Amino acid sequence: MKRILILSAILGFSAVSGSAVAHEHDHEGMEMNAKAAVAEGRGVVESADQAKGVVTLTHEPIPSLNWPAMTMDFAVEDKALFRKLVPGKTVRFEFIKQRNKYVVTGVK
Ligand SMILES: [Cu+2]
């Protein structure tokens, strides 16, 4: 009898902690999606440094982020994108905020 009680207590506990874990997971997923939100912009490539993984763009205003037009650096982690990041060219680009930097994830 005692064993059955202990067993059901263990099962009851694990069921509760199991749902708590699932809830935390949902939350993490939501925050990650918010951070990974993709913004789009259009701008002129000023310079591109493949070795450093940095592109300088003079971009048009980006209303979704409340950004005015400006010249700024973006990180580029996918080296293949440098084929399209040719200085003097106007490009449409996608980027995400990653920690404290902006990372270009796509170039058209
Ligand atoms: Cu900017």
Side-chain angles (χ1 to χ4, degrees):
M1 266 311 193
K2 236 181 186 176
R3 273 195 190 164
I4 291 167
L5 281 174
I6 290 166
L7 187 65
S8 66
I10 290 167
L11 286 173
F13 174 76
S14 66
V16 168
S17 65
S19 70
V21 167
H23 182 77
E24 263 176 42
H25 251 87
D26 284 350
H27 248 84
E28 270 175 34
M30 278 165 58
E31 279 168 24
M32 275 172 65
N33 285 343
K35 276 180 207 157
V38 177
E40 276 187 61
R42 210 173 93 100
V44 178
V45 180
E46 299 295 342
S47 61
D49 188 330
Q50 185 166 348
K52 284 183 185 161
V54 176
V55 64
T56 306
L57 293 163
T58 298
H59 65 76
E60 294 174 0
I62 300 175
S64 64
L65 292 174
N66 242 333
W67 282 8
M70 71 179 99
T71 300
M72 63 184 282
D73 290 348
F74 290 86
V76 182
E77 289 172 356
D78 180 358
K79 302 288 183 196
L81 294 176
F82 280 101
R83 277 184 288 134
K84 296 170 187 166
L85 294 170
V86 179
K89 222 174 136 184
T90 300
V91 292
R92 300 191 70 86
F93 60 100
E94 291 178 343
F95 63 98
I96 58 169
K97 182 169 182 172
Q98 197 176 83
R99 290 179 294 276
N100 55 352
K101 62 184 179 179
Y102 293 96
V103 181
V104 175
T105 54
V107 180
K108 286 173 214 165

